[in-house]
């Protein structure tokens, strides 16, 4: 067994926030980034945990995100749309700023939307979804990415991996949450196969000529495929329309043009739609939260899993026992704290 | 070649509406039903064309839908939710009643929802989507069905085939529209394989023991599978939550309990969410409709199809040349008109 260290969630948060502060992020950026990264590590969602710190720092160093941005809330009287301009900073502090206003509007009007513009996005969408469910709201969250996915029937990268996420609040329990890429696989999974020298499963990707391939190199030079054929492709296109074009922000091909690389965090917008189950169910028979539990029990009762179930088990363990990090991970955190932006290329 | 008859769209509408009137439907129900059925036939979408008339009449005869229902609009000041109670009638006239109020709210607030409660639903969702795009709005439409689909990892029917539909308006062109079941295949496709004595493609269904099957009989006794594995399953579950539970209407298992059969049109609710692209894009660079055309051109330019493209080609032909019906179809329309509800079991 290699040596491991156990940190409390708050101790890990302090270290991660200190790294971002050292790298020049202001407190609103550093705090929000540390919250989502620690949440990923806490939930054993390693692909969105401390592994992501370096990518965020590389994006700062490349000048593609403003480390000192202060997001601005734009409230318009009598609108169901709440807008936050991230001012070129990360999406996460912009979401934190907009959430209370979004929740207030959704409760008052029944549904409302939060638009985040001009942000850099690098985290999962479930922290946003759980922000909504924490307010007793159901919600949909989506955003573009970089053009790496071919539309069904096509042969060139155009759509992003465009994540689609949803949540429903549960009383006294973790919420019902899903959050997935609308591509068959995440780009990181193809990269992992390449490093391991393993072929891809069939149906993940096409090569630069548009032919099916299981070669990771050829896939990275070609395009990923949407999940579920033409249906997933249609949902990915919908996300470009609603969470890119409609909100006046970049689409996935425009993001790639702007960045010129998929190695930095993408710059675009994000759309969050919040629903108040109380407002929708008012005057109708049955309590929506109690009825949802009947549905969840029927799913779990036949041996199926609810999405995010593993994440919530890991969370409970981290909350009681702390987060376990390897010596290599501790060394990496120490290095990032010591060197700041000098730690990344 | 068998004999065929060409009817203008309006002549076909008159015949279908007369059939529904003869069967005892009031004019608001008969008119709305005729519009969606003729739209299906016009678009060469035969599975939602005149083929559907008998099912609607069987549901009337079984007492599971009120032929004389008059839907009621419930407007609440200062809410983004517009409700229409179908009063036990079909969903289609309820949608027609609610659409102007929904469009007005969506334009004023940026987004709004139309909830249809206590309705019988038997049509595709694209007529609703095109109602929205006809108002210059983007929109999402969804509803439950009967419990015929097992959640991913499960082995018993629980979710419905739960259609998910979306539209984006285009200037001077048919809209961008998709409308699909969140199951791999529609139940009708399994029935068609059974009648033809053909095995199902792999991955469509499981038998009553939860094992994968390609036998249509075993599939009908078992469960269909969601599209895209756990991702489609999660979207199907979301539709039960938003368009069943949240709106205070039946979920797919409750629909099946209530009807006791999948041979009649299901009784439940429907959720329509409308977005005003103008309101969302206000103050941001670029015209959202022009930018969307760039995306569509990039999709079509690499040889991929836009969803509904075939339907719109058929529509243009029907509008200029009329709708072609076989002699058997003409005979069936004549028989339904002569016999009314006596024509169905």
């Amino acid at each position: 067994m290699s040596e491991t260290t156990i940190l409390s969630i708050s101790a890990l948060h302090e270290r991660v926030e200190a790294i971002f502060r050292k790298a020049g992020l202001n407190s609103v950026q550093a705090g929000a980034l540390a919250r989502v990264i620690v949440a990923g590590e806490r939930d054993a969602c390693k692909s969105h945990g401390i592994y992501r710190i370096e990518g965020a720092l590389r994006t700062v160093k490349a000048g593609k995100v403003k480390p000192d941005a202060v997001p601005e809330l734009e409230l318009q009287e009598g609108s169901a749309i709440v807008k936050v301009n991230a001012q070129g900073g990360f999406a996460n502090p912009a979401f934190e700023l907009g959430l209370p206003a979004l929740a207030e509007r959704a409760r008052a009007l029944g549904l409302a939307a939060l638009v985040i513009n001009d942000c850099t996005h690098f985290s999962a969408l479930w922290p946003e979804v759980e922000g909504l469910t924490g307010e007793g709201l159901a919600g949909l969250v989506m955003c573009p990415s970089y053009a790496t996915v071919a539309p069904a029937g096509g042969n060139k990268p155009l759509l992003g991996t465009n994540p689609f996420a949803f949540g429903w609040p549960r009383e006294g329990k973790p919420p019902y949450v899903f959050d997935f890429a609308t591509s068959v696989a995440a780009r990181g999974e193809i990269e992992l196969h390449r490093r391991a020298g393993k072929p891809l499963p069939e149906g993940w990707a096409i090569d630069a000529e548009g032919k099916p391939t299981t070669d990771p190199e050829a896939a990275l030079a070609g395009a990923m495929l949407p999940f579920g054929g033409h249906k997933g492709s249609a949902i990915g296109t919908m996300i470009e329309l609603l969470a890119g074009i409609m909100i006046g922000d970049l689409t996935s091909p425009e993001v790639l043009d702007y960045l010129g690389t998929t190695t930095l965090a993408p710059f675009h917008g994000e759309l969050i739609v919040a629903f108040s189950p109380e407002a929708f169910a008012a005057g109708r028979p049955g309590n929506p939260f109690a009825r949802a539990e009947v549905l969840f029990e029927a799913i779990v009762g036949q041996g199926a899993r609810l999405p995010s179930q593993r994440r919530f088990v890991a969370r409970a363990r981290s909350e009681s026992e702390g987060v376990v990090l390897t010596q290599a991970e501790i060394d990496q955190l120490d290095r990032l704290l010591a060197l700041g932006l000098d730690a990344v290329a």
Side-chain angles (χ1 to χ4, degrees), chain A:
Chain A
M1 280 289 284
S2 62
E3 209 178 325
T4 59
T5 302
I6 297 175
L7 290 181
S8 70
I9 292 170
S10 63
L12 179 58
H13 179 94
E14 270 174 43
R15 285 206 195 193
V16 175
E17 188 170 2
I19 290 168
F20 284 125
R21 294 290 278 151
K22 173 68 184 279
L25 276 68
N26 65 13
S27 70
V28 66
Q29 300 286 328
L33 258 58
R35 270 185 283 283
V36 296
I37 283 176
V38 171
E41 203 63 40
R42 173 199 69 195
D43 288 7
C45 182
K46 299 292 283 188
S47 61
H48 287 92
I50 57 173
Y51 156 80
R52 291 268 168 163
I53 298 173
E54 279 201 33
L57 296 185
R58 274 201 311 275
T59 309
V60 172
K61 194 165 182 178
K64 295 297 190 184
V65 62
K66 293 213 181 91
D68 58 348
V70 178
E72 282 180 18
L73 183 65
E74 299 165 23
L75 276 180
Q76 212 184 316
E77 202 52 51
S79 172
I81 306 172
V82 172
K83 290 190 178 190
V84 176
N85 193 302
Q87 301 290 338
F90 287 98
N92 316 89
F95 176 77
E96 291 183 356
L97 177 66
L99 177 60
L102 172 66
E104 181 272 313
R105 291 283 161 103
R107 282 193 203 99
L109 298 170
L111 72 159
L114 171 61
V115 169
I116 301 175
N117 284 124
D118 298 339
C119 67
T120 287
H121 201 277
F122 81 110
S123 57
L125 294 182
W126 56 255
E128 275 95 318
V129 169
E130 293 191 26
L132 297 175
T133 58
E135 297 279 347
L137 302 168
L140 271 174
V141 186
M142 56 189 102
C143 67
S145 181
Y146 339 81
T148 53
V149 176
N155 53 20
K156 288 186 201 71
L158 176 70
L159 308 173
T161 51
N162 298 5
F164 188 62
F166 169 78
W168 177 270
R170 303 178 69 185
E171 280 165 25
K173 283 179 188 163
Y176 175 90
V177 176
F178 70 73
D179 174 6
F180 54 71
T182 51
S183 48
V184 175
R187 197 167 163 89
E189 293 177 76
I190 295 182
E191 178 59 26
L192 288 176
H193 278 77
R194 189 190 65 79
R195 288 190 204 175
K198 290 199 321 196
L200 303 175
E202 283 185 28
W204 279 27
I206 52 178
D207 64 19
E209 275 72 52
K211 298 206 180 67
T213 185
T214 58
D215 173 8
E217 296 275 6
L220 290 168
M224 296 192 281
L225 290 172
F227 92 99
H230 72 279
K231 296 181 181 182
S233 183
I235 294 174
T237 304
M238 174 188 84
I239 293 173
E240 300 288 341
L241 289 167
L242 292 181
I245 289 167
M246 184 175 80
I247 66 171
D249 228 309
L250 300 187
T251 60
S252 295
E254 291 168 343
V255 171
L256 191 55
D257 281 350
Y258 168 76
L259 277 186
T261 172
T262 61
T263 62
L264 300 175
F267 184 75
H268 50 60
E270 183 177 349
L271 176 65
I272 297 114
V273 183
F275 303 89
S276 162
E278 273 105 340
F280 274 89
R284 298 289 302 174
N287 174 297
F289 302 112
R291 292 183 63 213
E293 293 306 315
V294 175
L295 180 69
F296 299 141
E297 277 160 30
I299 292 172
V300 174
Q302 60 172 270
R305 258 208 323 259
L306 297 181
S308 301
Q309 230 169 264
R310 274 186 291 209
R311 216 161 43 73
F312 294 128
V313 169
R315 180 181 305 183
R317 197 174 47 236
S318 297
E319 283 171 347
S320 67
E321 298 169 19
V323 177
V324 181
L325 296 180
T326 63
Q327 192 54 46
E329 288 171 327
I330 292 288
D331 291 347
Q332 188 209 11
L333 292 178
D334 289 344
R335 187 172 148 271
L336 291 170
L337 182 59
L339 298 177
L341 289 183
D342 292 335
V344 294

